[in-house]
Coordinates of all heavy atoms in Angstrom, one line a residue:
P59 N -49.7 4.1 21.8 CA -50.5 5.2 22.1 C -52.0 5.0 21.9 O -52.3 4.2 21.0 CB -50.1 6.3 21.1 CG -48.6 5.9 20.8 CD -48.8 4.3 20.7
K60 N -52.8 5.6 22.8 CA -54.3 5.3 22.7 C -54.9 6.7 22.1 O -55.9 6.5 21.4 CB -54.7 4.9 24.1 CG -54.2 3.7 24.6 CD -54.5 2.5 23.8 CE -54.1 1.1 24.4 NZ -52.6 1.0 24.5
S61 N -54.6 7.7 22.8 CA -55.3 9.0 22.6 C -54.8 9.6 21.3 O -53.8 9.3 20.8 CB -55.2 10.0 23.6 OG -53.9 10.5 23.6
R62 N -55.8 10.3 20.6 CA -55.3 10.9 19.2 C -54.1 11.8 19.4 O -53.2 11.8 18.5 CB -56.5 11.6 18.7 CG -56.3 12.2 17.3 CD -57.5 12.9 16.7 NE -57.2 13.6 15.4 CZ -57.0 13.0 14.3 NH1 -57.2 11.6 14.2 NH2 -56.7 13.6 13.2
A63 N -54.2 12.6 20.6 CA -53.0 13.6 20.6 C -51.7 12.9 20.9 O -50.7 13.3 20.3 CB -53.2 14.4 21.9
E64 N -51.6 11.8 21.7 CA -50.5 10.9 21.8 C -50.0 10.3 20.5 O -48.8 10.2 20.2 CB -50.7 9.9 22.8 CG -49.4 9.2 23.3 CD -49.6 8.2 24.3 OE1 -50.8 7.9 24.8 OE2 -48.5 7.5 24.8
K65 N -51.1 9.7 19.8 CA -50.7 9.3 18.4 C -50.1 10.2 17.5 O -49.1 9.9 16.8 CB -51.9 8.6 17.9 CG -52.4 7.4 18.4 CD -53.8 6.9 17.8 CE -54.3 5.7 18.4 NZ -55.5 5.0 17.8
K66 N -50.6 11.5 17.6 CA -50.1 12.5 16.6 C -48.6 12.7 17.0 O -47.7 12.9 16.2 CB -50.9 13.7 16.7 CG -50.5 14.7 15.8 CD -51.5 15.9 15.6 CE -51.2 16.9 14.6 NZ -52.1 18.0 14.5
V67 N -48.3 12.9 18.4 CA -47.1 13.1 18.9 C -46.0 12.1 18.3 O -45.0 12.3 17.9 CB -46.9 13.4 20.3 CG1 -45.5 13.5 20.8 CG2 -47.6 14.6 20.8
R68 N -46.4 10.8 18.7 CA -45.5 9.7 18.3 C -45.4 9.5 16.7 O -44.4 9.1 16.3 CB -46.1 8.4 18.9 CG -46.1 8.3 20.4 CD -44.7 7.9 20.9 NE -44.5 6.5 20.6 CZ -44.9 5.4 21.1 NH1 -45.6 5.6 22.3 NH2 -44.7 4.1 20.9
A69 N -46.4 9.8 16.1 CA -46.3 9.7 14.6 C -45.5 10.7 14.0 O -44.6 10.5 13.1 CB -47.7 9.8 13.9
A70 N -45.4 12.0 14.7 CA -44.5 13.0 14.1 C -43.1 12.5 14.5 O -42.1 12.8 13.6 CB -44.8 14.4 14.9
E71 N -42.8 11.8 15.5 CA -41.5 11.4 15.8 C -41.0 10.3 14.8 O -39.9 10.4 14.4 CB -41.5 10.8 17.2 CG -41.7 11.8 18.4 CD -41.9 11.1 19.9 OE1 -41.9 9.9 19.8 OE2 -41.9 11.9 20.8
L72 N -42.0 9.4 14.5 CA -41.6 8.5 13.4 C -41.3 9.1 12.2 O -40.4 8.7 11.5 CB -42.7 7.5 13.4 CG -43.0 6.5 14.4 CD1 -44.3 5.7 14.1 CD2 -41.8 5.4 14.4
L73 N -42.0 10.1 11.7 CA -41.8 10.8 10.5 C -40.3 11.4 10.5 O -39.7 11.5 9.6 CB -42.9 11.8 10.1 CG -44.3 11.3 9.7 CD1 -45.1 12.5 9.2 CD2 -44.0 10.3 8.7
R74 N -40.0 12.2 11.6 CA -38.8 12.8 11.8 C -37.6 11.8 11.7 O -36.6 12.0 11.1 CB -38.8 13.6 13.1 CG -39.4 14.9 13.0 CD -39.1 15.8 14.2 NE -39.5 15.3 15.4 CZ -40.7 15.5 16.0 NH1 -41.7 16.3 15.4 NH2 -41.1 15.0 17.1
S75 N -37.9 10.6 12.2 CA -36.8 9.5 12.2 C -36.5 9.1 10.7 O -35.5 8.6 10.4 CB -37.1 8.4 13.0 OG -38.2 7.5 12.3
V76 N -37.6 9.3 9.8 CA -37.3 8.8 8.4 C -37.0 10.2 7.5 O -37.1 10.0 6.3 CB -38.5 8.0 7.9 CG1 -38.7 6.7 8.6 CG2 -39.7 8.8 7.9
G77 N -36.9 11.2 8.0 CA -36.5 12.5 7.4 C -37.7 13.2 6.8 O -37.6 13.9 5.9
L78 N -38.9 13.0 7.4 CA -40.0 13.9 7.0 C -40.6 14.8 8.1 O -40.4 14.5 9.3 CB -41.2 13.0 6.5 CG -40.9 12.1 5.3 CD1 -42.1 11.1 5.0 CD2 -40.7 13.0 4.1
D79 N -41.1 15.9 7.7 CA -41.7 17.0 8.6 C -43.0 16.5 9.2 O -43.8 15.8 8.5 CB -41.7 18.2 7.9 CG -41.9 19.4 8.9 OD1 -40.9 19.7 9.5 OD2 -43.1 19.8 9.0
Q80 N -43.3 17.0 10.3 CA -44.5 16.7 10.9 C -45.7 17.2 10.0 O -46.9 16.6 10.0 CB -44.6 17.6 12.2 CG -46.0 17.3 13.0 CD -46.0 17.9 14.4 OE1 -44.9 18.4 14.9 NE2 -47.2 18.1 15.0
S81 N -45.6 18.1 9.2 CA -46.6 18.8 8.4 C -47.0 17.6 7.3 O -48.3 17.9 6.8 CB -46.1 19.9 7.5 OG -45.0 19.4 6.7
A82 N -46.4 16.6 7.1 CA -46.8 15.4 6.3 C -48.0 14.8 6.8 O -48.8 14.0 6.0 CB -45.7 14.5 6.0
L83 N -48.3 14.9 8.1 CA -49.3 14.1 8.8 C -50.7 14.3 8.2 O -51.6 13.5 8.3 CB -49.3 14.2 10.3 CG -48.2 13.8 11.2 CD1 -48.2 14.2 12.5 CD2 -48.1 12.2 11.0
G84 N -50.9 15.6 7.8 CA -52.4 16.0 7.4 C -52.5 15.9 5.9 O -53.4 16.3 5.4
R85 N -51.5 15.2 5.2 CA -51.6 15.2 3.8 C -51.8 13.7 3.3 O -51.8 12.7 4.1 CB -50.3 15.7 3.2 CG -50.0 17.1 3.5 CD -48.6 17.6 3.2 NE -48.2 17.6 1.9 CZ -47.0 17.7 1.3 NH1 -46.0 17.8 2.3 NH2 -46.7 17.5 0.2
Y86 N -52.2 13.6 2.0 CA -52.6 12.3 1.3 C -51.3 11.8 0.6 O -50.5 12.6 0.1 CB -53.8 12.6 0.4 CG -55.1 12.6 1.2 CD1 -55.5 14.0 1.4 CD2 -55.8 11.6 1.8 CE1 -56.6 14.1 2.2 CE2 -56.9 11.7 2.4 CZ -57.5 13.1 2.5 OH -58.6 13.2 3.3
P87 N -51.3 10.5 0.3 CA -50.1 9.9 -0.3 C -49.8 10.5 -1.6 O -48.7 10.6 -2.0 CB -50.6 8.4 -0.5 CG -51.5 8.0 0.7 CD -52.1 9.5 0.9
H88 N -50.9 10.9 -2.5 CA -50.6 11.4 -3.9 C -49.9 12.7 -3.7 O -49.4 13.1 -4.8 CB -52.0 11.5 -4.5 CG -52.8 12.7 -4.1 ND1 -53.7 12.6 -3.1 CD2 -52.9 14.0 -4.4 CE1 -54.4 13.8 -3.0 NE2 -53.8 14.6 -3.8
E89 N -49.8 13.3 -2.6 CA -49.0 14.6 -2.6 C -47.6 14.5 -2.4 O -46.7 15.4 -2.3 CB -49.7 15.4 -1.4 CG -51.1 15.8 -1.5 CD -51.6 16.6 -0.4 OE1 -51.1 17.7 0.0 OE2 -52.4 16.0 0.5
F90 N -47.1 13.2 -2.4 CA -45.6 12.8 -2.1 C -45.0 12.3 -3.4 O -45.6 11.6 -4.1 CB -45.5 12.0 -0.9 CG -45.9 12.6 0.4 CD1 -47.4 12.4 0.8 CD2 -45.1 13.4 1.1 CE1 -47.8 13.1 2.0 CE2 -45.7 14.1 2.3 CZ -47.0 13.7 2.8
S91 N -43.7 12.3 -3.4 CA -42.9 11.7 -4.3 C -42.8 10.3 -4.1 O -43.1 9.8 -2.9 CB -41.5 12.3 -4.5 OG -40.8 12.1 -3.3
G92 N -42.2 9.4 -4.9 CA -42.0 7.9 -4.6 C -41.1 7.8 -3.4 O -41.3 6.8 -2.6
G93 N -39.9 8.6 -3.4 CA -39.1 8.4 -2.2 C -39.7 8.8 -1.0 O -39.5 8.1 0.0
Q94 N -40.5 10.0 -1.0 CA -41.1 10.3 0.3 C -42.2 9.2 0.6 O -42.4 8.9 1.9 CB -41.9 11.6 0.0 CG -41.0 12.8 -0.1 CD -41.6 14.1 -0.5 OE1 -42.6 14.0 -1.2 NE2 -41.0 15.2 -0.2
R95 N -42.9 8.6 -0.3 CA -43.9 7.5 0.1 C -43.2 6.2 0.6 O -43.7 5.7 1.5 CB -44.5 7.1 -1.2 CG -45.5 8.2 -1.6 CD -46.4 7.7 -2.9 NE -46.9 8.8 -3.8 CZ -47.9 8.7 -4.5 NH1 -48.5 7.4 -4.7 NH2 -48.3 9.6 -5.4
Q96 N -42.0 6.1 0.2 CA -41.3 4.8 0.8 C -40.9 5.2 2.1 O -40.9 4.3 3.0 CB -40.1 4.6 -0.1 CG -39.5 3.0 0.2 CD -40.6 2.0 0.0 OE1 -41.6 2.0 0.6 NE2 -40.4 0.9 -1.0
R97 N -40.6 6.4 2.4 CA -40.2 6.9 3.8 C -41.4 6.7 4.7 O -41.3 6.3 5.9 CB -39.7 8.3 3.9 CG -38.4 8.4 3.2 CD -37.9 9.9 3.0 NE -36.7 10.1 2.4 CZ -35.6 10.3 2.9 NH1 -35.4 10.3 4.3 NH2 -34.4 10.4 2.1
I98 N -42.5 7.1 4.3 CA -43.9 6.9 5.0 C -44.0 5.3 5.4 O -44.3 4.8 6.4 CB -45.0 7.4 4.4 CG1 -44.9 9.0 4.2 CG2 -46.3 7.0 5.0 CD1 -45.8 9.6 3.2
N99 N -43.7 4.5 4.3 CA -43.9 3.1 4.5 C -43.0 2.6 5.6 O -43.3 1.8 6.5 CB -43.5 2.3 3.2 CG -44.7 2.4 2.2 OD1 -45.9 2.3 2.6 ND2 -44.4 2.4 0.9

């Protein structure tokens, strides 16, 4: 993906594939538990 909008859509798909909601995209790592951070990794 090149555009910001396309990146956001694809990133949300990746998060859903690891069991996280799209709302996580606008948050910082310190707001998540260790398990959630590993899902982001």
